[in-house]
Amino acid sequence: MNCISTTDHQCFPDPLHRAEAPIAHPISMSVVGREYQLRCLNSFLSPDPSLAVQTLLLQGAAGTGKTHTLKAWLDEHPEVPTAILRSTALVTWKPLLQAVARGVQAGLRKSNQSSSSSLPAPLDPLQVEDLAGLISQLTTLFTTYDCPQTFLLVLDDLDQLQDLDATILPMFLRLHELLPAGCPMRTVHIVRDAQFVGRYAPFQLPVVVFPRYTEEELLPALTGALATSTSDNTIDASFLKLLIQAFYSYTGSDIAALRDLALLKWPQYSKEVAGMDSGAPTAELYRRTRHLFVSPDDSLASESSNTTSSTNYELSDISKWLLIAAYFCSYSEARYDPSLFAHRQDMKHGRSPYGRRKAREINPTHLQPNTFQVERLLAIYQAIAPADGSSTGASASTSGSLRALLNEPLRHANVEVFQNIAELYQLKVLSTNNVNTGGNLDFLSPKIKWKVNVGWEIVLEVANSVQFDLRAYFSEVGG
Amino acid sequence: MSELQSKATDAIANGESLPTPLPTGKRDSNELSDNITDDSNRVSKYPRLDANPIQDDAFQSFKSRLIRQMNHTLPVDETKVFSYLTETRQEISRILKQSIVQKESHSVVMVGPRGSYKTFLVNHELKVLAKENGDQFITVRLSGLLHTEQTAINSIAAQLESELQRLNPDETLSKDESMDVSSGSLTEVFEKILRLLDTRKTHTLETSDTTSTISVIFIFDEIDTFAGPVRQTLLYNLFDMVEHALVPVCIIGSSTKLNISEFFEKRVKSRFSQRILYMPECKDLDTFAGAAKEMLTLTQPKDAEENRYITAWNALVEQYIKDEDSAFFEQIRNNYETFKSIPLLRNSFMPVIGPCETFEQAEQSLKTCDDMVSYTLNQFQGTLGASVQSLSELELAFLLAAVRTATKNKEETTNFNLTYVEYSDMITSLNARIPSTTNLNSNTNQIVENLVKLWDKDDIKNVWETLQELTLITDKGDVGLRESATAVFYASNYIFQSASTPFDLRLFNIHISLLELRRIVPKSSIFYPWTQL
């Protein structure tokens, strides 16, 4: 469905149903901090098509009030028929063209509803297969329907179109040249990326830039956003002030994030201060509710989960040991493998792998993983994984004799191990140097190099779950 | 400031709850339709209070005329063409007259940067000629930005059909004819077009019963997009038509490429007339100021009484342009020394006149040009420097950490892990210098806590994403905007290495340097010392 989404993430249906949308907060309240931009809109747009520019660009980061301000201008000029399209919902250019045809037709039919003559039969927008089809349909629409005012076509978040290419905007810039002379359609493109606008600088289009809100502008803007998104208008201004002071550095000027935090914390806050005097000083309110403003608490994880407890990630024991072994392969150097993993004591003598005189400047686990051969993975796996199936990573016999070595039950590479490697590959926990194999990967090919695809924190949790002390091998890693 | 706004401001200052907004009623469709169709009964929440209706109408008429002139939407006989374009305009007019009136075939390519009024001149001259000779020619428009070679054929056929119908409304193309024109190879299509034009004939002159052939004017924007390395069949056929067709054909191409003729194949070049019109530019500041003056100076409307505001306005414009110390002349000079672009000057001037409700406001606005300055400053608010200035403290600290890490790295890249380590080192070092009860050996019960908060790694990920959204950092493997839909299609089927790398290990490039940050971050900021390694 084509819809307009404001900074409130509230979906407005297409212009057929625009009349049912609630009237926004008074324009003077809802566009606080955007008075200059509204003034520019009044200069560049007009219900009279001869007074409106052909194309207007509105540029600004997400949550800066572009769509909101344009809506405020449209509310001030209800006589202007409009088609507002959300590009993120349209993915590629063909649905975009079809949506343009659909939106324009809907807007024109709406604006002509009161005319005495009956409306002509609607055209099928799905017949728009390409630009020529769109031009043909738009030509038919604007010659069939009466539209003395400006018809405003708004493409919201055009640069967020998933399959965007460099020819789409120029196409809309030149579209009017192939439409009938005097066609009243004008376009407004709402764009986030300044570099996208800069790419089309030679076209010398009028641009209105929406900067991020300052900290002072956030309170009235947030109040307006909450008022339009919720029916409950009783959120206290002092709460919002505390919220902004506490979390402005975390959220920046993102109105949507602040609004979400306000809606998350307001029920708890109102409960805490319920018994307090309404005229209590802000400091007292803060002291009572300080725990709410320490952390955002907006994680998707449940509050009861213990972050220090190990999680299984639904992996089998073999997979967990393979993952740990893969981490060693990617982050420790092969020349230290005998020292680290050899069961024979005499091979462990000698210089410690990290007994270097000079400490590393960069922790290697913070860098991208190195690739390794599958044989090395299997060798380290055999060295660290317990053979008796227990979850403990207890080392094997320490007698050091050859007989003991022969008697020692080792985990041999068998079909289960390879099944688990395949599982880890499917889960993208392990990856190869060739990403585009089309599913036909020969695991044993010497050309294939592997690497681990998870970070230190996850591997540490997995190691803790099998009681393997991973930190002992990576002494430089804190935390 | 409205009463409601002042109430709201007072409420915020006093920490009170905000007043309830206006009741949110639903507008029913009848009301909405009244709003759209009947402008006089327009229901606006903000009706304007006109002090003097008669004066207001005259001012509105003046303002509308001025904006129409800037938008080139005045009637053709009132549209002004800049003086510095006179020669080019005359050349275009001559070529078109030769094609339309004298039935000769011509081809010309206009070369000039975007916004140099190529299309405007051609359209203007066609409108002028259409007033007296409108039934002697048809226009077919093609654009390299809108058409490919294949779609151009269909477009030519469709436009021909509609234009011929305009000329001869009684004669319509039969179904077979209309569907048949665009089928076949390009050469066959062009043969059919010529046959069609030949058989359709024409028009009947008003003064006599004689008939004459219709001239076909092809306006070909971005003609260089069709002059690709592969066979330039469309151009070949078009220019061949100029050479050999019985029907007079005029091809006017436009391009931004100075060396457009080198793009043509030999066979195309041999059929092209080699006539290239280079669009003139304003050679000096005086010419540029003259063009600005022409853009803003109005002529009195022909069919209405004299508007005194127009006279007064023209005098003001003349005065400020002659006065080199005036704010308006300074804006013209700034534009001349930077962009040298009349369209950009027009864009910045629109907010000067647009919001004005009285002539006094317009006068004051022109005198100070504050709105022009504001518009220019507004353009700078989309730059990276402005983005950095809009960052919160945490965002700035993390950006600094990212830039420091990238600067220390040989490849000038960084990832989230390394940046977080640098950030935590920065904050730890900063907090070590801030006095607090944790640092001091204090025996009192008072708690002094001024330390900068060290945010968790999980929380900081949001900040990292914000920096990406502001394009201060970008993925190292990111290619950017693809040139065509085909390239996008192939790219969408290709899995990139970076897409499979964990979030905190992906490599990023930073688009701002430490030196630039040192210039942008205020010296009073606690993070200023970190702008230097």
Side-chain angles (χ1 to χ4, degrees):
Chain A
M1 177 174 94
N2 305 325
C3 58
I4 176 175
S5 177
T6 67
T7 53
D8 311 327
H9 299 299
Q10 189 175 19
C11 199
F12 281 84
D14 65 18
L16 268 176
H17 303 289
R18 200 155 79 85
E20 297 169 17
I23 295 176
H25 214 44
I27 202 168
S28 56
M29 282 298 298
S30 65
V31 291
V32 170
R34 295 291 171 254
E35 292 83 9
Y36 175 76
Q37 282 74 15
L38 190 60
R39 191 179 160 89
C40 283
L41 286 181
N42 277 319
S43 304
F44 290 118
L45 299 176
S46 168
D48 184 347
S50 64
L51 302 180
V53 294
Q54 186 62 50
T55 305
L56 178 64
L57 289 178
L58 306 184
Q59 185 270 318
T64 49
K66 305 178 293 292
T67 314
H68 194 64
T69 309
L70 182 63
K71 270 178 57 191
W73 186 87
L74 289 171
D75 284 339
E76 201 180 355
H77 298 88
E79 68 275 22
V80 174
T82 313
I84 305 174
L85 309 178
R86 186 86 192 278
S87 304
T88 46
L90 297 168
V91 185
T92 65
W93 60 268
K94 195 194 267 192
L96 178 66
L97 297 184
Q98 289 171 348
V100 169
R102 189 183 306 117
V104 169
Q105 177 165 241
L108 286 172
R109 287 178 74 84
K110 184 69 180 168
S111 68
N112 277 252
Q113 259 182 1
S114 65
S115 62
S116 54
S117 56
S118 60
L119 294 176
L123 301 173
D124 182 10
L126 292 179
Q127 293 200 349
V128 173
E129 295 277 325
D130 52 19
L131 185 65
L134 176 67
I135 291 168
S136 167
Q137 205 164 103
L138 288 178
T139 303
T140 308
L141 288 171
F142 281 107
T143 47
T144 309
Y145 293 95
D146 184 33
C147 186
Q149 302 89 3
T150 300
F151 187 98
L152 207 59
L153 174 64
V154 180
L155 297 179
D156 200 354
D157 283 341
L158 178 64
D159 60 330
Q160 304 302 308
L161 190 70
Q162 188 169 328
D163 285 356
L164 182 71
D165 65 81
T167 60
I168 288 182
L169 180 62
M171 185 173 70
F172 282 102
L173 296 180
R174 293 284 186 250
L175 188 63
H176 67 281
E177 292 177 0
L178 294 183
L179 293 177
C183 176
M185 191 173 82
R186 303 291 183 262
T187 48
V188 175
H189 301 282
I190 302 178
V191 166
R192 289 191 198 173
D193 188 3
Q195 292 178 8
F196 179 82
V197 173
R199 191 191 172 99
Y200 300 101
F203 288 90
Q204 295 169 51
L205 302 167
V207 180
V208 181
V209 179
F210 285 71
R212 297 175 89 205
Y213 287 108
T214 61
E215 196 171 352
E216 292 75 29
E217 291 166 347
L218 272 180
L219 180 59
L222 179 61
T223 310
L226 283 167
T228 51
S229 66
T230 62
S231 54
D232 177 14
N233 295 315
T234 58
I235 294 183
D236 202 9
S238 56
F239 164 73
L240 293 178
K241 259 198 256 182
L242 289 173
L243 189 83
I244 291 171
Q245 281 173 10
F247 295 117
Y248 171 68
S249 60
Y250 167 67
T251 62
S253 304
D254 189 349
I255 291 284
L258 279 169
R259 188 208 57 196
D260 290 343
L261 280 174
L263 293 175
L264 179 71
K265 294 187 182 288
W266 170 248
Q268 275 181 283
Y269 177 88
S270 55
K271 232 186 264 181
E272 299 272 349
V273 302
M276 288 180 70
D277 185 16
S278 59
T282 310
E284 185 58 40
L285 292 169
Y286 177 71
R287 224 174 272 123
R288 177 79 72 93
T289 56
R290 186 171 179 268
H291 59 281
L292 292 175
F293 298 105
V294 168
S295 167
D297 297 326
D298 57 354
S299 162
L300 291 175
S302 65
E303 292 175 3
S304 58
S305 69
N306 185 356
T307 54
T308 58
S309 67
S310 61
T311 56
N312 285 324
Y313 292 101
E314 296 181 359
L315 294 175
S316 63
D317 277 351
I318 294 178
S319 290
K320 289 181 187 174
W321 287 111
L322 280 169
L323 182 58
I324 296 168
Y327 199 79
F328 277 121
C329 291
S330 281
Y331 285 104
S332 79
E333 293 177 43
R335 57 189 168 134
Y336 300 124
D337 285 352
S339 312
L340 287 175
F341 304 116
H343 291 163
R344 285 177 54 184
Q345 282 302 298
D346 55 351
M347 291 187 75
K348 286 198 175 185
H349 293 160
R351 197 166 170 185
S352 162
Y354 293 110
R356 57 191 82 251
R357 292 189 182 86
K358 196 175 169 187
R360 283 178 193 250
E361 286 185 9
I362 298 175
N363 188 329
T365 61
H366 288 157
L367 302 175
Q368 291 207 328
N370 296 316
T371 54
F372 55 86
Q373 298 270 11
V374 72
E375 288 84 5
R376 187 175 167 218
L377 169 68
L378 296 172
I380 295 179
Y381 166 74
Q382 284 191 13
I384 62 174
D388 57 358
S390 70
S391 60
T392 57
S395 59
S397 164
T398 56
S399 69
S401 68
L402 194 57
R403 184 175 291 278
L405 191 63
L406 285 172
N407 289 338
E408 189 177 275
L410 295 171
R411 251 188 210 259
H412 294 284
N414 56 23
V415 66
E416 282 185 4
V417 172
F418 286 99
Q419 276 177 341
N420 279 277
I421 291 176
E423 183 193 345
L424 290 175
Y425 180 75
Q426 287 295 324
L427 292 173
K428 300 202 187 318
V429 172
L430 292 183
S431 66
T432 64
N433 54 346
N434 182 8
V435 289
N436 292 308
T437 57
N440 299 322
L441 184 67
D442 180 5
F443 290 119
L444 300 179
S445 167
K447 291 183 185 172
I448 296 293
K449 295 278 178 66
W450 295 80
K451 61 180 176 178
V452 73
N453 208 28
V454 290
W456 164 257
E457 289 84 6
I458 294 175
V459 177
L460 188 64
E461 275 196 54
V462 169
N464 289 339
S465 74
V466 293
Q467 282 127 47
F468 181 79
D469 188 6
L470 188 64
R471 277 189 230 268
Y473 294 84
F474 292 96
S475 54
E476 295 161 13
V477 181
Chain B
M1 191 187 288
S2 72
E3 188 186 340
L4 188 62
Q5 191 176 13
S6 60
K7 273 188 189 168
T9 312
D10 291 339
I12 291 168
N14 296 334
E16 297 164 358
S17 296
L18 291 163
T20 52
L22 290 178
T24 55
K26 288 184 180 181
R27 280 182 291 174
D28 60 14
S29 55
N30 288 336
E31 189 187 48
L32 184 64
S33 60
D34 285 341
N35 293 342
I36 289 168
T37 57
D38 188 353
D39 201 34
S40 62
N41 292 333
R42 183 183 61 187
V43 176
S44 171
K45 295 195 291 289
Y46 314 99
R48 296 192 178 90
L49 298 172
D50 298 329
N52 187 343
I54 298 171
Q55 185 179 10
D56 185 66
D57 280 347
F59 175 75
Q60 293 298 329
S61 168
F62 148 75
K63 184 175 147 184
S64 299
R65 193 169 173 80
L66 178 59
I67 295 175
R68 285 196 177 100
Q69 177 157 292
M70 289 199 288
N71 286 341
H72 304 299
T73 49
L74 281 174
V76 62
D77 47 359
E78 296 182 52
T79 301
K80 264 196 233 170
V81 177
F82 298 123
S83 305
Y84 75 96
L85 295 173
T86 305
E87 277 185 32
T88 313
R89 176 196 174 182
Q90 286 169 351
E91 183 67 18
I92 296 287
S93 176
R94 187 179 64 80
I95 292 170
L96 284 172
K97 275 181 187 161
Q98 283 174 347
S99 293
I100 293 168
V101 178
Q102 297 172 16
K103 304 300 175 190
E104 295 174 6
S105 290
H106 289 284
S107 60
V108 64
V109 172
M110 301 170 71
V111 174
R114 292 194 199 284
S116 55
Y117 299 100
K118 303 184 289 294
T119 310
F120 164 72
L121 275 184
V122 172
N123 289 339
H124 177 73
E125 291 308 312
L126 281 174
K127 279 185 205 169
V128 168
L129 285 166
K131 289 182 79 176
E132 288 183 13
N133 309 104
D135 52 354
Q136 292 186 39
F137 70 96
I138 57 176
T139 310
V140 176
R141 292 175 189 273
L142 299 170
S143 173
L145 295 178
L146 297 171
H147 297 111
T148 59
E149 284 220 356
Q150 287 308 310
T151 57
I153 305 168
N154 293 331
S155 182
I156 291 171
Q159 289 184 60
L160 267 178
E161 184 182 345
S162 67
E163 285 285 286
L164 286 173
Q165 187 147 13
R166 175 182 65 84
L167 284 183
N168 301 309
D170 299 329
E171 293 182 36
T172 54
L173 281 178
S174 67
K175 242 190 190 172
D176 292 335
E177 276 180 319
S178 64
M179 286 170 60
D180 199 36
V181 170
S182 57
S183 61
S185 70
L186 264 174
T187 315
E188 289 168 4
V189 165
F190 277 99
E191 278 175 13
K192 287 177 197 172
I193 287 172
L194 288 174
R195 214 179 311 132
L196 182 70
L197 288 170
D198 222 7
T199 55
R200 272 344 232 190
K201 290 151 206 111
T202 60
H203 72 289
T204 306
L205 289 174
E206 286 179 8
T207 53
S208 69
D209 290 332
T210 57
T211 60
S212 98
T213 51
I214 302 172
S215 302
V216 183
I217 313 293
F218 283 93
I219 300 173
F220 214 144
D221 265 344
E222 313 287 337
I223 195 171
D224 49 278
T225 55
F226 289 91
V230 200
R231 297 169 57 196
Q232 299 168 5
T233 315
L234 180 66
L235 287 180
Y236 168 73
N237 281 285
L238 276 174
F239 288 128
D240 193 53
M241 217 166 38
V242 174
E243 294 286 310
H244 300 116
L246 297 173
V247 177
V249 172
C250 179
I251 296 175
I252 303 179
S254 70
S255 172
T256 56
K257 305 281 188 295
L258 286 172
N259 55 344
I260 180 65
S261 57
E262 292 174 22
F263 284 65
F264 293 146
E265 280 180 350
K266 254 189 213 172
R267 56 176 186 161
V268 173
K269 211 185 279 191
S270 65
R271 283 160 178 79
F272 174 50
S273 64
Q274 307 300 325
R275 193 183 308 177
I276 297 179
L277 271 179
Y278 293 98
M279 295 303 293
E281 287 185 347
C282 295
K283 289 192 171 56
D284 49 32
L285 179 58
D286 287 337
T287 314
F288 190 78
K293 181 182 161 190
E294 286 170 1
M295 180 177 72
L296 297 177
T297 307
L298 298 171
T299 53
Q300 294 287 350
K302 284 180 183 172
D303 299 329
E305 59 184 38
E306 186 177 323
N307 189 323
R308 66 180 187 283
Y309 289 124
I310 292 178
T311 315
W313 175 261
N314 290 344
L316 279 175
V317 169
E318 172 102 30
Q319 174 196 338
Y320 288 134
I321 283 188
K322 279 187 179 162
D323 180 7
E324 293 192 4
D325 294 330
S326 67
F328 184 53
F329 190 83
E330 189 185 336
Q331 291 301 312
I332 293 175
R333 184 175 30 225
N334 286 344
N335 185 303
Y336 178 76
E337 289 172 355
T338 50
F339 305 107
K340 207 154 98 172
S341 164
I342 294 289
L344 286 180
L345 186 72
R346 184 209 65 172
N347 291 344
S348 64
F349 193 82
M350 289 291 256
V352 170
I353 191 65
C356 296
E357 294 295 326
T358 63
F359 187 76
E360 287 72 29
Q361 287 178 3
E363 194 178 358
Q364 184 63 22
S365 197
L366 181 63
K367 184 182 175 187
T368 59
C369 287
D370 286 342
D371 288 305
M372 287 182 85
V373 174
S374 301
Y375 180 82
T376 308
L377 291 176
N378 179 254
Q379 303 304 298
F380 286 111
Q381 286 179 322
T383 57
L384 279 181
S387 297
V388 171
Q389 284 175 337
S390 72
L391 295 178
S392 65
E393 280 201 353
L394 176 61
E395 290 166 342
L396 179 62
F398 211 67
L399 176 65
L400 269 169
V403 176
R404 287 171 62 88
T405 320
T407 309
K408 291 180 205 170
N409 186 357
K410 215 187 320 181
E411 293 171 12
E412 295 186 351
T413 55
T414 184
N415 64 27
F416 175 74
N417 281 339
L418 294 171
T419 305
Y420 185 79
V421 167
E422 180 73 21
Y423 160 76
S424 53
D425 288 345
M426 268 170 56
I427 299 301
T428 309
S429 163
L430 204 60
N431 286 338
R433 293 202 293 267
I434 295 176
S436 73
T437 48
T438 53
N439 290 346
L440 304 171
N441 290 325
S442 171
N443 294 326
T444 67
N445 292 329
Q446 287 181 334
I447 299 171
V448 177
E449 195 68 52
N450 289 325
L451 300 179
V452 178
K453 179 174 177 177
L454 178 64
W455 290 79
D456 292 336
K457 211 171 177 183
D458 284 337
D459 294 333
I460 286 269
K461 281 183 181 174
N462 290 335
V463 175
W464 188 248
E465 285 174 0
T466 303
L467 295 179
Q468 283 182 61
E469 275 176 20
L470 294 174
T471 62
L472 288 164
I473 62 174
T474 49
D475 215 316
K476 188 182 175 189
D478 201 2
V479 174
L481 201 58
R482 305 283 172 178
E483 286 301 322
S484 67
T486 313
V488 170
F489 174 72
Y490 287 130
S492 63
N493 292 327
Y494 188 81
I495 303 167
F496 291 96
Q497 280 277 355
S498 61
S500 57
T501 310
F503 168 83
D504 45 2
L505 296 177
R506 276 185 216 156
L507 290 176
F508 286 84
N509 288 323
I510 317 290
H511 292 285
I512 195 162
S513 67
L514 210 53
L515 186 61
E516 287 164 340
L517 278 175
R518 192 167 176 80
R519 288 194 193 130
I520 296 170
V521 175
K523 287 186 181 168
S524 54
S525 167
I526 56 173
F527 299 112
Y528 182 76
W530 299 100
T531 56
Q532 203 170 20
L533 285 177

